[in-house]
Amino acid sequence: MRDAVWLLEEFDRSTGAYRCRHQLAGLSDAKVRSWLELERLDGDLYDVPAEGLTDISRMYGIPVLPVEVEYLLARGADPTD
């Protein structure tokens, strides 16, 4: 089975609305499991822990503002399927 396409969702706490969505090309389920310390991924939406957020920022060049925005990892459909 192929890994899902992962998305980083930016949720603005002050407005209660989603700001932006970033597709995280090449991010593996195994890496997400390691950040979340899970053996299996049973859901489609996860809070991003600090270590994961730091790695994502470094790997994808996405500036992060954790004071203003809540970051969620969402599992999406592979557009090549």
Side-chain angles (χ1 to χ4, degrees):
M1 184 164 91
R2 295 172 61 173
D3 285 348
V5 172
W6 288 97
L7 307 169
L8 180 67
E9 303 273 4
E10 295 183 12
F11 182 76
D12 188 324
R13 293 182 186 115
S14 65
T15 65
Y18 284 94
R19 275 189 182 179
C20 189
R21 172 183 283 170
H22 306 276
Q23 185 169 334
L24 305 176
L27 183 60
S28 70
D29 287 1
K31 188 66 174 170
V32 173
R33 284 193 312 270
S34 75
W35 289 331
L36 301 174
E37 299 179 356
L38 296 173
E39 289 184 28
R40 289 182 33 190
L41 297 169
D42 293 326
D44 291 323
L45 193 64
Y46 302 91
D47 289 323
V48 183
E51 176 190 0
L53 195 54
T54 300
D55 287 352
I56 288 168
S57 180
R58 189 180 67 248
M59 293 164 54
Y60 296 94
I62 299 169
V64 293
L65 305 164
V67 173
E68 299 174 18
V69 179
E70 182 176 347
Y71 293 91
L72 304 168
L73 281 173
R75 194 182 338 209
D78 187 334
T80 62
D81 282 348

